[in-house]
Amino acid sequence: MDVSTDIAASIDEIHCRLPELSAKELIKSGFKIARPVIGSTTTTLLFAYSGGFTFAFMAFMSKGMPFVCIVNSNYISAEILHTVVGSMGLVLTAPLTAVVGGMIYGRK
């Protein structure tokens, strides 16, 4: 939600300052804004999720469990899946917001 709000607000500001821009130009601006936002937010998401299961991972390692068994455990594999799915949602939200925002504000 934060990513889409940031991109939509940026496109709105660009449109208010330069109303003559076409939809294509607004979409390109939205993509340029989305790149650093995706990078920083994905990194934050990765650290947030990995911090949640690091303790459990270390506890399994201290018991001498093989790495494959740890990764295949229900808890660890669910946390890895949360991280992957959350990152995919984030990466798909940014371009979709840029395209929709550019098309809406680019209408003449």
XYZ file of all heavy atoms in Angstrom:
803
model
N 0.823 -1.181 0.000
C 0.000 0.000 0.000
C 0.874 1.254 0.000
O 0.579 2.213 -0.700
C -0.930 -0.003 1.204
C -1.894 1.143 1.205
S -3.086 1.070 2.543
C -2.171 1.786 3.851
N 1.955 1.240 0.767
C 2.842 2.398 0.815
C 3.458 2.683 -0.548
O 3.577 3.835 -0.956
C 3.958 2.182 1.840
C 3.444 2.135 3.260
O 2.321 2.624 3.492
O 4.152 1.612 4.128
N 3.857 1.626 -1.220
C 4.492 1.795 -2.534
C 3.521 2.410 -3.521
O 3.852 3.370 -4.233
C 5.020 0.431 -3.049
C 5.485 0.536 -4.486
C 6.138 -0.068 -2.177
N 2.318 1.892 -3.586
C 1.346 2.423 -4.537
C 0.956 3.859 -4.196
O 0.784 4.691 -5.091
C 0.108 1.525 -4.610
O -0.508 1.426 -3.350
N 0.863 4.170 -2.916
C 0.542 5.544 -2.512
C 1.659 6.504 -2.899
O 1.394 7.604 -3.399
C 0.295 5.609 -0.991
O -0.750 4.703 -0.656
C -0.079 7.006 -0.557
N 2.908 6.094 -2.677
C 4.044 6.942 -3.047
C 4.066 7.229 -4.549
O 4.257 8.371 -4.978
C 5.365 6.289 -2.645
C 5.576 6.238 -1.148
O 4.859 6.961 -0.423
O 6.450 5.470 -0.706
N 3.866 6.200 -5.336
C 3.928 6.363 -6.787
C 2.747 7.189 -7.288
O 2.907 8.092 -8.117
C 3.984 4.992 -7.479
C 5.288 4.286 -7.095
C 3.886 5.128 -8.993
C 5.328 2.839 -7.455
N 1.547 6.905 -6.782
C 0.367 7.661 -7.208
C 0.481 9.138 -6.824
O 0.150 10.026 -7.626
C -0.890 7.048 -6.604
N 0.973 9.410 -5.623
C 1.141 10.800 -5.196
C 2.194 11.514 -6.037
O 2.040 12.697 -6.375
C 1.524 10.853 -3.720
N 3.239 10.805 -6.404
C 4.272 11.403 -7.252
C 3.750 11.721 -8.648
O 4.036 12.783 -9.199
C 5.471 10.463 -7.352
O 6.032 10.235 -6.093
N 2.976 10.810 -9.212
C 2.391 11.055 -10.535
C 1.416 12.226 -10.461
O 1.363 13.063 -11.369
C 1.724 9.777 -11.086
C 2.802 8.738 -11.425
C 0.885 10.082 -12.318
C 2.254 7.401 -11.851
N 0.662 12.302 -9.385
C -0.253 13.426 -9.209
C 0.508 14.753 -9.162
O 0.117 15.730 -9.799
C -1.065 13.241 -7.925
C -1.999 14.411 -7.661
O -2.820 14.727 -8.554
O -1.893 15.016 -6.579
N 1.605 14.794 -8.425
C 2.408 16.017 -8.321
C 3.016 16.396 -9.671
O 3.021 17.573 -10.054
C 3.511 15.836 -7.276
C 4.383 17.044 -7.076
C 3.646 18.247 -6.506
O 2.590 18.079 -5.889
O 4.163 19.371 -6.690
N 3.513 15.398 -10.384
C 4.068 15.679 -11.717
C 2.988 16.231 -12.632
O 3.207 17.192 -13.373
C 4.698 14.398 -12.317
C 5.942 14.007 -11.526
C 5.042 14.605 -13.795
C 6.469 12.634 -11.865
N 1.811 15.632 -12.574
C 0.709 16.087 -13.428
C 0.280 17.510 -13.063
O -0.041 18.313 -13.942
C -0.477 15.133 -13.325
C -1.674 15.580 -14.099
N -1.708 15.581 -15.472
C -2.874 16.056 -13.691
C -2.876 16.045 -15.875
N -3.603 16.335 -14.817
N 0.260 17.831 -11.780
C -0.114 19.193 -11.360
C 0.902 20.217 -11.847
O 0.533 21.329 -12.222
C -0.238 19.257 -9.839
S -1.687 18.416 -9.201
N 2.181 19.850 -11.846
C 3.231 20.778 -12.273
C 3.351 20.871 -13.793
O 3.655 21.924 -14.329
C 4.584 20.358 -11.711
C 4.639 20.264 -10.218
C 4.873 21.603 -9.630
N 4.880 21.470 -8.168
C 5.190 22.419 -7.375
N 5.538 23.591 -7.855
N 5.156 22.233 -6.084
N 3.148 19.751 -14.465
C 3.274 19.697 -15.927
C 2.051 19.001 -16.530
O 2.119 17.842 -16.947
C 4.544 18.938 -16.325
C 5.870 19.516 -15.833
C 6.990 18.514 -16.006
C 6.178 20.810 -16.561
N 0.919 19.679 -16.601
C -0.308 19.026 -17.081
C -0.269 18.641 -18.562
O -1.099 17.854 -19.007
C -1.406 20.068 -16.815
C -0.698 21.353 -16.654
C 0.681 21.058 -16.191
N 0.697 19.159 -19.305
C 0.759 18.859 -20.741
C 1.417 17.508 -21.037
O 1.422 17.070 -22.192
C 1.510 19.965 -21.493
C 2.990 20.059 -21.193
C 3.319 20.887 -19.951
O 2.413 21.435 -19.305
O 4.503 20.979 -19.630
N 1.948 16.831 -20.037
C 2.595 15.537 -20.270
C 1.579 14.494 -20.709
O 0.447 14.448 -20.218
C 3.305 15.045 -19.008
C 4.566 15.796 -18.592
C 5.122 15.190 -17.302
C 5.607 15.762 -19.674
N 2.007 13.633 -21.621
C 1.140 12.564 -22.112
C 1.125 11.401 -21.114
O 1.930 11.348 -20.180
C 1.645 12.065 -23.465
O 2.890 11.403 -23.307
N 0.230 10.469 -21.356
C 0.129 9.285 -20.494
C 1.424 8.487 -20.533
O 1.899 7.997 -19.506
C -1.044 8.418 -20.926
N 2.024 8.383 -21.724
C 3.269 7.625 -21.866
C 4.385 8.254 -21.032
O 5.143 7.551 -20.366
C 3.675 7.565 -23.335
C 4.876 6.713 -23.608
C 5.166 6.637 -25.095
C 6.397 5.791 -25.348
N 6.690 5.682 -26.773
N 4.493 9.560 -21.057
C 5.526 10.248 -20.279
C 5.280 10.110 -18.778
O 6.218 9.942 -18.002
C 5.594 11.721 -20.684
C 6.100 11.921 -22.104
C 5.931 13.349 -22.582
O 4.890 13.968 -22.267
O 6.838 13.828 -23.271
N 4.015 10.165 -18.376
C 3.696 9.984 -16.957
C 4.007 8.560 -16.497
O 4.493 8.351 -15.375
C 2.227 10.326 -16.697
C 1.869 11.806 -16.733
C 0.363 11.990 -16.711
C 2.511 12.538 -15.577
N 3.739 7.594 -17.345
C 4.045 6.199 -17.007
C 5.554 6.012 -16.871
O 6.024 5.359 -15.933
C 3.447 5.239 -18.062
C 1.921 5.248 -17.967
C 3.990 3.824 -17.888
C 1.214 4.531 -19.096
N 6.329 6.601 -17.794
C 7.783 6.514 -17.691
C 8.277 7.147 -16.390
O 9.158 6.606 -15.726
C 8.439 7.195 -18.897
C 8.387 6.358 -20.162
C 8.916 7.093 -21.372
C 10.388 7.355 -21.261
N 10.945 7.986 -22.487
N 7.704 8.275 -16.015
C 8.073 8.913 -14.750
C 7.701 8.016 -13.568
O 8.459 7.909 -12.596
C 7.374 10.261 -14.616
O 7.833 11.160 -15.588
N 6.538 7.390 -13.653
C 6.121 6.469 -12.587
C 7.084 5.308 -12.427
O 7.401 4.897 -11.316
N 7.579 4.769 -13.541
C 8.552 3.679 -13.476
C 9.871 4.148 -12.874
O 10.506 3.424 -12.112
C 8.795 3.079 -14.862
C 7.814 2.017 -15.242
C 6.675 2.315 -15.958
C 8.023 0.699 -14.874
C 5.762 1.348 -16.302
C 7.120 -0.295 -15.211
C 5.985 0.028 -15.927
N 10.301 5.361 -13.223
C 11.548 5.893 -12.663
C 11.418 6.102 -11.153
O 12.368 5.895 -10.405
C 11.924 7.208 -13.340
C 12.468 7.008 -14.731
C 12.872 8.333 -15.349
C 13.381 8.127 -16.750
N 13.748 9.393 -17.403
N 10.249 6.508 -10.711
C 10.005 6.684 -9.280
C 9.925 5.321 -8.592
O 10.394 5.146 -7.464
C 8.705 7.479 -9.047
C 8.867 8.900 -9.580
C 8.306 7.484 -7.584
C 7.556 9.631 -9.759
N 9.349 4.331 -9.270
C 9.111 3.015 -8.668
C 10.396 2.238 -8.407
O 10.473 1.499 -7.426
C 8.190 2.193 -9.559
N 11.409 2.399 -9.262
C 12.628 1.605 -9.106
C 13.273 1.723 -7.727
O 13.494 0.710 -7.070
C 13.631 1.971 -10.206
C 13.433 1.152 -11.429
C 14.550 1.373 -12.439
N 13.938 1.378 -13.752
C 13.998 2.352 -14.617
N 14.688 3.427 -14.342
N 13.389 2.269 -15.769
N 13.604 2.922 -7.278
C 14.238 2.992 -5.943
C 13.288 2.622 -4.807
O 13.718 2.080 -3.783
C 14.703 4.438 -5.829
C 13.966 5.205 -6.856
C 13.581 4.228 -7.922
N 12.008 2.891 -4.995
C 11.036 2.541 -3.950
C 10.959 1.026 -3.801
O 10.939 0.501 -2.679
C 9.646 3.147 -4.274
C 8.597 2.643 -3.314
C 9.709 4.660 -4.254
N 10.942 0.313 -4.915
C 10.902 -1.152 -4.865
C 12.152 -1.690 -4.190
O 12.082 -2.570 -3.342
C 10.772 -1.748 -6.282
C 9.395 -1.490 -6.848
C 11.037 -3.239 -6.268
C 9.254 -1.887 -8.296
N 13.303 -1.156 -4.566
C 14.559 -1.634 -3.993
C 14.615 -1.476 -2.491
O 14.947 -2.413 -1.760
N 14.295 -0.299 -2.013
C 14.389 -0.069 -0.570
C 13.314 -0.835 0.198
O 13.586 -1.384 1.271
C 14.294 1.424 -0.263
O 13.027 1.929 -0.616
N 12.122 -0.906 -0.336
C 11.047 -1.594 0.376
C 11.240 -3.106 0.362
O 10.942 -3.776 1.355
C 9.685 -1.222 -0.230
O 9.606 0.195 -0.343
C 8.544 -1.713 0.620
N 11.747 -3.651 -0.736
C 12.004 -5.092 -0.792
C 13.075 -5.482 0.216
O 12.964 -6.497 0.901
C 12.431 -5.518 -2.203
O 11.404 -5.172 -3.120
C 12.663 -7.005 -2.284
N 14.118 -4.662 0.324
C 15.165 -4.939 1.302
C 14.610 -4.896 2.722
O 14.905 -5.778 3.539
C 16.306 -3.911 1.159
O 16.769 -3.940 -0.183
C 17.442 -4.215 2.105
N 13.793 -3.906 3.010
C 13.179 -3.803 4.336
C 12.292 -5.012 4.614
O 12.319 -5.583 5.715
C 12.347 -2.509 4.436
O 13.186 -1.403 4.147
C 11.728 -2.355 5.810
N 11.518 -5.424 3.624
C 10.648 -6.587 3.770
C 11.467 -7.848 4.022
O 11.124 -8.657 4.899
C 9.793 -6.751 2.510
C 8.773 -7.871 2.489
C 7.652 -7.547 3.471
C 8.211 -8.041 1.093
N 12.550 -8.003 3.296
C 13.405 -9.171 3.466
C 13.975 -9.233 4.880
O 13.949 -10.277 5.536
C 14.536 -9.142 2.438
C 15.575 -10.251 2.540
C 14.956 -11.589 2.194
C 16.749 -9.962 1.637
N 14.467 -8.099 5.382
C 15.015 -8.082 6.739
C 13.932 -8.312 7.794
O 14.173 -8.972 8.805
C 15.746 -6.774 7.017
C 17.086 -6.684 6.348
C 17.458 -5.536 5.671
C 17.974 -7.741 6.389
C 18.695 -5.443 5.056
C 19.213 -7.660 5.779
C 19.580 -6.507 5.112
N 12.759 -7.778 7.566
C 11.676 -7.961 8.536
C 11.267 -9.429 8.638
O 11.116 -9.973 9.741
C 10.476 -7.110 8.147
N 11.101 -10.085 7.501
C 10.707 -11.492 7.527
C 11.836 -12.386 8.027
O 11.601 -13.306 8.802
C 10.255 -11.965 6.140
C 8.842 -11.593 5.806
C 8.531 -10.943 4.618
C 7.795 -11.900 6.663
C 7.232 -10.600 4.306
C 6.488 -11.561 6.358
C 6.225 -10.916 5.170
O 4.935 -10.579 4.864
N 13.061 -12.117 7.555
C 14.163 -12.988 7.975
C 14.466 -12.819 9.460
O 14.886 -13.774 10.122
C 15.413 -12.726 7.145
O 15.900 -11.428 7.375
N 14.248 -11.638 10.004
C 14.448 -11.436 11.443
C 13.485 -12.259 12.266
O 13.796 -12.661 13.387
N 12.311 -12.527 11.713
C 11.307 -13.294 12.437
C 11.660 -14.763 12.592
O 11.300 -15.401 13.581
N 12.366 -15.336 11.625
C 12.658 -16.762 11.730
C 14.138 -17.068 11.956
O 14.534 -18.227 11.998
C 12.116 -17.535 10.522
C 12.773 -17.260 9.208
C 13.903 -17.960 8.818
C 12.254 -16.321 8.336
C 14.497 -17.718 7.598
C 12.839 -16.086 7.116
C 13.974 -16.782 6.751
N 14.954 -16.045 12.151
C 16.377 -16.271 12.395
C 16.612 -17.048 13.689
O 17.442 -17.966 13.732
C 17.134 -14.929 12.441
O 16.948 -14.255 11.203
C 18.610 -15.136 12.687
N 15.869 -16.700 14.739
C 16.044 -17.398 16.014
C 15.698 -18.882 15.872
O 16.443 -19.746 16.345
C 15.183 -16.762 17.097
C 15.274 -17.467 18.406
C 16.409 -17.343 19.191
C 14.243 -18.281 18.854
C 16.512 -18.012 20.404
C 14.331 -18.949 20.052
C 15.472 -18.815 20.835
N 14.578 -19.173 15.221
C 14.185 -20.579 15.050
C 15.211 -21.315 14.188
O 15.562 -22.468 14.469
C 12.807 -20.666 14.412
N 15.710 -20.646 13.164
C 16.719 -21.245 12.295
C 17.980 -21.586 13.090
O 18.537 -22.675 12.959
C 17.043 -20.277 11.157
C 17.933 -20.841 10.103
C 17.443 -21.728 9.168
C 19.270 -20.486 10.047
C 18.270 -22.261 8.190
C 20.102 -21.005 9.075
C 19.603 -21.906 8.151
N 18.419 -20.656 13.945
C 19.607 -20.897 14.772
C 19.356 -22.017 15.786
O 20.264 -22.808 16.077
C 20.034 -19.605 15.473
C 20.604 -18.593 14.516
S 21.176 -17.012 15.176
C 20.783 -16.986 16.854
N 18.155 -22.089 16.317
C 17.832 -23.155 17.266
C 17.899 -24.521 16.587
O 18.436 -25.484 17.157
C 16.444 -22.935 17.867
N 17.387 -24.617 15.365
C 17.466 -25.879 14.620
C 18.919 -26.239 14.312
O 19.318 -27.396 14.409
C 16.684 -25.798 13.308
C 15.183 -25.821 13.481
C 14.390 -24.957 12.749
C 14.574 -26.707 14.346
C 13.013 -24.966 12.883
C 13.198 -26.726 14.491
C 12.411 -25.854 13.755
N 19.711 -25.220 13.947
C 21.124 -25.462 13.627
C 21.882 -25.954 14.864
O 22.758 -26.820 14.761
C 21.784 -24.189 13.096
C 21.310 -23.743 11.730
S 21.823 -24.820 10.411
C 23.533 -24.397 10.259
N 21.543 -25.410 16.031
C 22.249 -25.810 17.254
C 21.948 -27.259 17.638
O 22.734 -27.895 18.332
C 21.902 -24.882 18.410
O 20.558 -25.067 18.814
N 20.819 -27.778 17.190
C 20.470 -29.170 17.470
C 21.121 -30.133 16.492
O 20.927 -31.337 16.581
C 18.960 -29.354 17.449
C 18.272 -28.661 18.597
C 16.807 -28.951 18.599
C 16.184 -28.281 19.813
N 14.806 -28.682 20.018
N 21.845 -29.570 15.499
C 22.559 -30.424 14.553
C 21.712 -30.918 13.393
O 22.085 -31.889 12.726
N 20.594 -30.287 13.148
C 19.748 -30.700 12.020
C 20.409 -30.306 10.706
O 20.990 -29.230 10.601
C 18.366 -30.042 12.096
C 17.487 -30.570 13.204
S 15.861 -29.778 13.238
C 15.134 -30.397 11.751
N 20.338 -31.158 9.703
C 20.890 -30.798 8.392
C 20.120 -29.616 7.781
O 18.928 -29.431 8.040
C 20.689 -32.051 7.542
C 20.365 -33.145 8.494
C 19.834 -32.514 9.735
N 20.825 -28.837 6.967
C 20.234 -27.639 6.362
C 18.968 -27.961 5.571
O 17.976 -27.235 5.655
C 21.273 -26.955 5.455
C 20.759 -25.727 4.779
C 20.610 -24.546 5.486
C 20.409 -25.751 3.438
C 20.130 -23.408 4.869
C 19.927 -24.620 2.814
C 19.786 -23.445 3.530
N 18.990 -29.051 4.815
C 17.829 -29.426 3.992
C 16.610 -29.695 4.870
O 15.495 -29.301 4.532
C 18.166 -30.652 3.109
C 16.952 -31.143 2.350
C 19.302 -30.337 2.157
N 16.814 -30.341 5.993
C 15.698 -30.618 6.906
C 15.152 -29.334 7.519
O 13.939 -29.196 7.705
C 16.136 -31.571 8.020
S 16.484 -33.236 7.440
N 16.049 -28.395 7.826
C 15.606 -27.123 8.408
C 14.762 -26.353 7.411
O 13.685 -25.858 7.730
C 16.818 -26.276 8.858
C 17.557 -26.974 9.996
C 16.385 -24.886 9.288
C 18.880 -26.333 10.350
N 15.238 -26.237 6.177
C 14.523 -25.475 5.148
C 13.182 -26.131 4.819
O 12.211 -25.449 4.491
C 15.401 -25.320 3.887
C 14.631 -24.680 2.751
C 16.631 -24.498 4.208
N 13.117 -27.447 4.933
C 11.874 -28.163 4.644
C 10.913 -28.230 5.827
O 9.802 -28.740 5.687
C 12.163 -29.580 4.153
C 12.660 -29.585 2.731
O 12.236 -28.774 1.912
N 13.571 -30.494 2.431
N 11.317 -27.717 6.981
C 10.394 -27.718 8.123
C 9.243 -26.751 7.840
O 9.392 -25.781 7.093
C 11.116 -27.324 9.409
O 11.463 -25.960 9.378
N 8.103 -27.032 8.430
C 6.907 -26.230 8.153
C 7.102 -24.750 8.458
O 6.750 -23.890 7.665
C 5.713 -26.755 8.956
C 5.210 -28.072 8.444
O 5.450 -28.433 7.292
N 4.523 -28.818 9.290
N 7.673 -24.452 9.616
C 7.808 -23.060 10.043
C 8.754 -22.279 9.140
O 8.419 -21.188 8.661
C 8.286 -22.999 11.495
C 8.457 -21.595 12.007
C 7.346 -20.810 12.279
C 9.716 -21.039 12.175
C 7.483 -19.507 12.726
C 9.867 -19.741 12.622
C 8.748 -18.982 12.892
O 8.888 -17.694 13.331
N 9.928 -22.825 8.889
C 10.931 -22.122 8.083
C 10.461 -21.984 6.638
O 10.579 -20.919 6.026
C 12.298 -22.831 8.157
C 12.818 -22.869 9.596
C 13.307 -22.173 7.225
C 13.136 -21.519 10.188
N 9.914 -23.047 6.074
C 9.461 -22.964 4.679
C 8.295 -21.982 4.538
O 8.201 -21.276 3.517
C 9.069 -24.342 4.150
O 8.032 -24.906 4.925
N 7.430 -21.877 5.537
C 6.338 -20.901 5.484
C 6.885 -19.475 5.520
O 6.391 -18.599 4.798
C 5.372 -21.131 6.638
N 7.895 -19.244 6.325
C 8.492 -17.907 6.393
C 9.201 -17.545 5.092
O 9.137 -16.403 4.637
C 9.452 -17.805 7.580
C 8.767 -17.843 8.928
C 7.800 -16.697 9.140
O 8.063 -15.580 8.655
O 6.768 -16.907 9.790
N 9.867 -18.504 4.487
C 10.508 -18.254 3.194
C 9.446 -17.947 2.145
O 9.598 -17.027 1.333
C 11.377 -19.465 2.775
C 12.583 -19.582 3.707
C 11.822 -19.348 1.320
C 13.375 -20.858 3.547
N 8.345 -18.666 2.170
C 7.247 -18.418 1.232
C 6.639 -17.041 1.449
O 6.334 -16.337 0.482
C 6.184 -19.510 1.370
C 5.060 -19.485 0.355
C 5.615 -19.705 -1.049
C 4.033 -20.542 0.680
N 6.467 -16.624 2.707
C 5.962 -15.276 2.989
C 6.868 -14.215 2.370
O 6.396 -13.229 1.801
C 5.878 -15.034 4.506
C 4.711 -15.660 5.151
N 4.840 -16.433 6.279
C 3.402 -15.639 4.856
C 3.656 -16.869 6.645
N 2.761 -16.402 5.796
N 8.161 -14.408 2.496
C 9.114 -13.446 1.956
C 9.014 -13.370 0.444
O 8.972 -12.274 -0.138
C 10.549 -13.832 2.369
O 10.613 -13.921 3.793
C 11.555 -12.820 1.871
N 8.952 -14.507 -0.213
C 8.881 -14.538 -1.680
C 7.570 -13.934 -2.178
O 7.557 -13.098 -3.092
C 9.059 -15.985 -2.201
C 8.776 -16.074 -3.683
C 10.460 -16.476 -1.901
N 6.468 -14.323 -1.579
C 5.163 -13.814 -2.009
C 5.036 -12.316 -1.741
O 4.542 -11.560 -2.580
C 4.017 -14.605 -1.337
C 2.674 -13.963 -1.586
C 4.010 -16.037 -1.837
N 5.501 -11.867 -0.577
C 5.462 -10.441 -0.272
C 6.292 -9.629 -1.242
O 5.878 -8.560 -1.690
N 7.454 -10.130 -1.604
C 8.308 -9.428 -2.559
C 7.681 -9.400 -3.945
O 7.750 -8.387 -4.654
C 9.684 -10.090 -2.629
O 10.331 -9.992 -1.389
N 7.054 -10.499 -4.354
C 6.396 -10.524 -5.666
C 5.244 -9.528 -5.710
O 5.069 -8.821 -6.709
C 5.887 -11.941 -5.985
C 6.974 -12.873 -6.391
S 6.492 -14.590 -6.731
C 4.753 -14.587 -6.922
N 4.467 -9.464 -4.651
C 3.369 -8.504 -4.604
C 3.873 -7.080 -4.697
O 3.300 -6.247 -5.396
N 4.966 -6.810 -4.019
C 5.564 -5.480 -4.053
C 6.078 -5.137 -5.443
O 5.827 -4.052 -5.966
C 6.707 -5.417 -3.040
C 7.521 -4.144 -3.015
C 6.667 -3.007 -2.464
C 8.744 -4.334 -2.169
N 6.764 -6.077 -6.064
C 7.332 -5.836 -7.385
C 6.234 -5.682 -8.439
O 6.400 -4.940 -9.404
C 8.324 -6.967 -7.746
C 8.764 -6.899 -9.185
C 9.527 -6.911 -6.821
N 5.110 -6.328 -8.271
C 4.011 -6.198 -9.236
C 3.160 -4.957 -8.985
O 2.556 -4.416 -9.914
C 3.130 -7.444 -9.205
C 3.781 -8.724 -9.716
C 2.847 -9.909 -9.508
C 4.163 -8.594 -11.164
N 3.096 -4.502 -7.745
C 2.278 -3.333 -7.412
C 2.820 -2.057 -8.026
O 2.064 -1.233 -8.540
C 2.190 -3.169 -5.878
O 1.554 -4.312 -5.336
C 1.429 -1.929 -5.487
N 4.128 -1.885 -7.985
C 4.740 -0.636 -8.455
C 4.484 -0.366 -9.943
O 3.981 0.707 -10.295
C 6.223 -0.635 -8.137
N 4.776 -1.297 -10.850
C 4.510 -0.993 -12.258
C 3.022 -0.866 -12.565
O 2.622 -0.044 -13.397
C 5.131 -2.153 -13.028
C 5.590 -3.134 -12.045
C 5.483 -2.553 -10.689
N 2.212 -1.659 -11.889
C 0.766 -1.566 -12.125
C 0.247 -0.190 -11.726
O -0.537 0.432 -12.452
C 0.046 -2.663 -11.340
C -1.462 -2.737 -11.530
C -1.781 -3.126 -12.964
C -2.064 -3.734 -10.577
N 0.702 0.329 -10.602
C 0.295 1.661 -10.154
C 0.791 2.732 -11.115
O 0.071 3.682 -11.420
C 0.826 1.943 -8.738
O 0.370 0.917 -7.863
C 0.363 3.286 -8.231
N 2.019 2.582 -11.610
C 2.569 3.556 -12.556
C 1.759 3.586 -13.844
O 1.441 4.666 -14.372
C 4.029 3.239 -12.850
N 1.379 2.434 -14.349
C 0.604 2.368 -15.594
C -0.795 2.936 -15.392
O -1.257 3.768 -16.177
C 0.539 0.915 -16.122
C -0.450 0.782 -17.253
C 1.920 0.461 -16.569
N -1.470 2.511 -14.346
C -2.835 2.991 -14.100
C -2.836 4.488 -13.812
O -3.655 5.250 -14.353
C -3.499 2.208 -12.944
C -4.816 2.831 -12.542
C -3.717 0.758 -13.353
N -1.894 4.949 -12.978
C -1.809 6.377 -12.678
C -1.511 7.207 -13.903
O -2.092 8.268 -14.124
N -0.582 6.732 -14.736
C -0.263 7.442 -15.966
C -1.428 7.520 -16.929
O -1.660 8.547 -17.560
N -2.190 6.427 -17.008
C -3.353 6.430 -17.908
C -4.448 7.351 -17.385
O -5.092 8.056 -18.169
C -3.871 4.996 -18.081
C -2.929 4.159 -18.921
S -3.326 2.385 -19.046
C -5.053 2.293 -19.085
N -4.668 7.360 -16.095
C -5.719 8.217 -15.531
C -5.364 9.687 -15.668
O -6.165 10.499 -16.129
C -5.982 7.847 -14.047
C -6.672 6.490 -13.968
C -6.810 8.918 -13.363
C -6.818 5.944 -12.562
N -4.136 10.036 -15.271
C -3.739 11.450 -15.323
C -3.384 11.902 -16.731
O -3.371 13.095 -17.012
C -2.559 11.706 -14.383
C -2.964 11.784 -12.944
C -2.663 10.781 -12.053
C -3.666 12.887 -12.472
C -3.036 10.861 -10.733
C -4.040 12.977 -11.144
C -3.723 11.955 -10.287
O -4.101 12.042 -8.972
N -3.095 10.985 -17.618
C -2.733 11.347 -18.979
C -3.920 11.561 -19.908
O -3.738 11.933 -21.075
N -5.116 11.325 -19.414
C -6.313 11.548 -20.241
C -6.459 13.015 -20.557
O -6.225 13.879 -19.719
C -7.587 11.074 -19.529
C -7.703 9.601 -19.403
C -9.029 9.251 -18.817
N -9.015 9.641 -17.393
C -9.997 9.408 -16.556
N -11.078 8.824 -16.967
N -9.908 9.768 -15.310
N -6.825 13.313 -21.755
C -7.038 14.720 -22.163
C -8.516 15.040 -22.183
O -9.349 14.275 -22.452
C -6.431 14.971 -23.547
C -4.949 14.711 -23.593
C -4.187 15.705 -22.792
C -2.693 15.397 -22.881
N -1.920 15.941 -21.880
